[in-house]
Amino acid sequence: MIDGETGFVIKQNDIPAFVNTVMALANDVQLRKKMGARGKRFVKENYDSKILNERLVSIYYGMLSETGK
């Protein structure tokens, strides 16, 4: 997550900040839509199973090539 772009990071036990953030989202339709769209795109670009599998294969082959040196 990217604070302020795809969601909000709030310090643990900071109830006033949590309430303010929830209220801001509840009162701002455009902010909710914008963050929702950015969040969805971020997840698709970084955590899609195809992308994760490609990264894993790349790491695996990288490790194999390191052991062959």
Side-chain angles (χ1 to χ4, degrees):
M1 181 181 58
I2 302 169
D3 188 30
E5 289 188 38
T6 61
F8 292 105
V9 175
I10 300 170
K11 290 182 182 178
Q12 185 175 351
N13 299 320
D14 189 345
I15 303 303
F18 177 76
V19 170
N20 290 337
T21 301
V22 170
M23 293 303 296
L25 288 168
N27 293 321
D28 191 337
V29 174
Q30 289 302 106
L31 179 61
R32 288 195 311 267
K33 287 182 178 181
K34 184 170 65 172
M35 285 193 136
R38 287 179 177 171
K40 183 177 180 179
R41 185 175 61 243
F42 180 80
V43 169
K44 279 186 165 186
E45 290 174 356
N46 293 283
Y47 299 103
D48 179 81
S49 61
K50 183 177 179 184
I51 291 169
L52 291 176
N53 285 335
E54 289 171 359
R55 288 180 185 164
L56 182 60
V57 168
S58 176
I59 291 168
Y60 177 74
Y61 281 119
M63 291 173 68
L64 284 177
S65 68
E66 290 291 320
T67 59
K69 289 184 176 181

